[in-house]
């Protein structure tokens, strides 16, 4: 994360730093000020943060209209038809910024178009007319984003809940999804059996949040709970994430889930997580290759369930599970190199 420093009002650095104020890809805010040299000259420290949620949107017709936040790797802002496209769907309560490592990787962006899409209940995405939705709605929405941007076929990578969504995309439109890369996920509902295989038990921990966020009165002063923010980063980024990473995502959640609309968004996102339907009996209908990566240190779904579920992709031409040493739950962030290698391997082998 770059740092800008401004020394006094007339310092030449001011213009460079101030220019970032008008850069839509950054947020600029002071984190320390008031110290003085013996001159005295005031100085200020700034952290320049990449955009937290998507800054580009497109409206698609599903559910009576959805404004969808997305991020595209092409500098032109449009799909490069000479390259295959990879749709990326982020994990619970994150945004397209979860894929910063992928978007900043020149080897990857030179080989493929990266199209990150924020699910319903996340980032800059919101339904224009309806409040309730499911993961199937996000899958249909993502396919319509592909339509709107001129993407006929794509590979699809999803982290955690994104894994459930990209598999649903392949079930809804098998002719359009060339390959799947589920990361740090499970194909089951939050079932009692899953817990016997090392999966977490979210209901006991998360239901109190759902109840608190389900009030009928308006909540204009709502900001998503600090405990919730800490849980997202603590479960997602492993044992020792950098302080600036934690600060970035703490601020992101506060910006996305604020006010009455923010409360409704996070409430429905959590409802979807707790009440999702399992896909175990549907996996036999997936006909594209599946490269599943799971972190050996995943605290949410562990490694036993993926080992069972990968065997259910019986119609896939290739279905493999790779356990990533040291990998956490948000695997594309904790193990970007392994994810990049798997993605490029799939694209090289299965591009149409």
């Amino acid at each position: 994360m770059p740092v800008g420093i401004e020394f006094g009002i007339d310092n030449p650095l001011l213009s460079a730093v101030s220019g970032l104020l008008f850069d839509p890809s950054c947020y600029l805010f002071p984190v320390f000020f008031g110290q003085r040299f013996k001159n005295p000259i005031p100085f200020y420290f700034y952290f320049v943060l990449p955009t937290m949620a998507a800054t580009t949107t497109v409206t698609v017709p599903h559910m009576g209209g959805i404004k969808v936040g997305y991020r595209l790797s092409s500098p032109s802002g449009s799909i490069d038809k000479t390259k295959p496209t990879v749709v990326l769907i982020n994990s619970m309560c994150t945004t397209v910024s979860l894929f910063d490592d992928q978007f900043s990787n020149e080897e990857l962006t030179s080989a493929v178009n990266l199209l990150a899409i924020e699910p319903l209940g996340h980032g800059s995405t919101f339904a224009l007319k309806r409040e309730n939705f499911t993961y199937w709605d996000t899958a249909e929405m993502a396919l319509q984003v592909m339509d709107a941007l001129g993407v006929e076929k794509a590979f699809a990578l999803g982290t955690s809940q994104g894994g459930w969504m990209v598999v649903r995309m392949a079930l809804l439109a098998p002719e359009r999804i060339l390959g799947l890369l589920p990361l740090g996920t499970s194909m089951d509902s939050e079932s009692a059996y899953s817990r016997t295989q090392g999966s977490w038990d979210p209901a006991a921990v998360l239901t109190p949040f759902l109840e608190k966020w389900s009030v009928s009165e308006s909540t204009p002063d709502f900001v998503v709970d600090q405990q919730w923010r800490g849980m997202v980063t603590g479960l997602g980024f492993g044992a020792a994430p950098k302080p600036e990473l934690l600060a970035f995502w703490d601020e992101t959640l506060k910006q996305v889930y604020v006010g009455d609309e923010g409360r409704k968004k996070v409430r429905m996102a959590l409802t979807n997580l707790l009440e999702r339907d399992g896909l175990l009996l549907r996996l036999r209908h997936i006909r594209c290759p599946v490269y599943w990566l799971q972190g050996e240190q995943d605290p949410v779904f562990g490694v036993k369930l993926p080992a069972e579920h990968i065997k259910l992709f019986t119609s896939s031409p290739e279905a493999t599970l790779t356990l990533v040493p040291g990998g956490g739950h948000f695997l594309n962030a904790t193990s970007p190199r392994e994810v990049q290698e798997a993605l490029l391997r799939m694209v090289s082998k299965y591009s149409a």
Side-chain angles (χ1 to χ4, degrees):
M1 187 178 299
V3 178
I5 304 175
E6 181 233 316
F7 290 93
I9 295 176
D10 296 323
N11 191 280
L13 282 175
L14 176 60
S15 58
V17 174
S18 299
L20 292 167
L21 283 166
F22 306 100
D23 182 348
S25 68
C26 295
Y27 286 99
L28 185 65
F29 59 91
V31 295
F32 179 81
F33 58 90
Q35 293 285 355
R36 292 177 180 266
F37 290 105
K38 60 184 179 182
N39 284 353
I41 302 174
F43 68 95
Y44 311 86
F45 285 90
Y46 293 90
F47 281 100
V48 182
L49 301 182
T51 298
M52 297 175 178
T55 57
T56 50
T57 61
V58 62
T59 300
V60 300
H62 187 57
M63 292 177 56
I66 305 171
K67 188 175 182 181
V68 187
Y70 73 93
R71 179 180 181 183
L72 190 60
S73 60
S74 173
S76 68
S78 58
I79 295 293
D80 182 344
K81 300 288 188 178
T82 67
K83 300 190 292 191
T85 296
V86 181
V87 171
L88 311 170
I89 298 189
N90 54 272
S91 55
M92 179 72 173
C93 284
T94 64
T95 68
V96 292
S97 290
L98 185 69
F99 299 106
D100 280 349
D101 283 323
Q102 285 70 51
F103 277 83
S104 63
N105 188 301
E106 292 185 7
E107 181 182 3
L108 192 56
T109 57
S110 66
V112 300
N113 298 297
L114 297 178
L115 170 59
I117 299 173
E118 292 173 334
L120 283 158
H122 294 75
S124 299
T125 295
F126 62 92
L128 301 177
K129 294 185 178 181
R130 300 181 189 173
E131 189 170 306
N132 276 270
F133 51 82
T134 72
Y135 289 129
W136 291 99
D137 291 313
T138 285
E140 185 64 55
M141 176 199 84
L143 291 166
Q144 291 185 357
V145 172
M146 289 171 57
D147 291 337
L149 299 181
V151 179
E152 181 180 353
K153 298 181 179 183
F155 298 89
L157 179 153
T159 301
S160 188
Q161 67 166 11
W164 314 328
M165 298 171 187
V166 296
V167 171
R168 283 168 170 78
M169 290 175 68
L171 289 167
L172 290 173
E175 73 286 357
R176 302 188 66 185
I177 303 302
L178 300 172
L180 293 171
L181 291 99
L183 310 178
T185 191
S186 160
M187 294 294 114
D188 199 2
S189 63
E190 296 293 353
S191 68
Y193 175 75
S194 289
R195 292 191 286 277
T196 69
Q197 300 303 298
S199 178
W200 70 333
D201 183 3
V205 178
L206 304 186
T207 300
F209 289 100
L210 184 62
E211 294 303 320
K212 182 165 57 172
W213 297 338
S214 297
V215 296
S216 56
E217 63 270 18
S218 179
T219 56
D221 298 325
F222 175 83
V223 177
V224 69
D225 309 55
Q226 182 178 7
Q227 184 183 359
W228 179 267
R229 304 194 307 266
M231 194 167 5
V232 170
T233 55
L235 288 171
F237 292 106
K242 295 179 179 179
E244 58 266 31
L245 180 70
L246 297 180
F248 172 81
W249 285 106
D250 186 74
E251 185 65 26
T252 296
L253 267 70
K254 286 192 290 185
Q255 290 199 10
V256 171
Y257 300 115
V258 63
D260 204 45
E261 288 304 311
R263 176 183 61 81
K264 292 176 181 178
K265 283 179 73 169
V266 72
R267 179 190 67 188
M268 281 308 304
L270 178 52
T271 299
N272 274 254
L273 185 148
L274 292 173
E275 281 199 333
R276 75 179 185 278
D277 53 322
L279 298 175
L280 301 185
L281 298 180
R282 301 177 189 264
L283 299 182
R284 69 192 69 182
H285 302 299
I286 298 293
R287 292 181 170 81
C288 64
V290 180
Y291 288 2
W292 186 328
L293 280 73
Q294 194 82 3
E296 288 187 348
Q297 305 302 317
D298 190 319
V300 177
F301 296 118
V303 297
K304 291 183 180 179
L305 284 173
E308 291 184 9
H309 295 169
I310 194 66
K311 298 175 183 176
L312 302 178
F313 291 90
T314 54
S315 298
S316 297
E318 185 180 13
T320 63
L321 172 66
T322 300
L323 300 180
V324 180
H329 185 49
F330 295 168
L331 196 61
N332 70 284
T334 66
S335 304
R337 179 179 58 81
E338 290 85 351
V339 170
Q340 172 195 326
E341 290 173 353
L343 176 54
L344 290 177
R345 187 165 63 249
M346 174 176 278
V347 168
S348 175
K349 188 171 182 178
Y350 290 104
S351 288

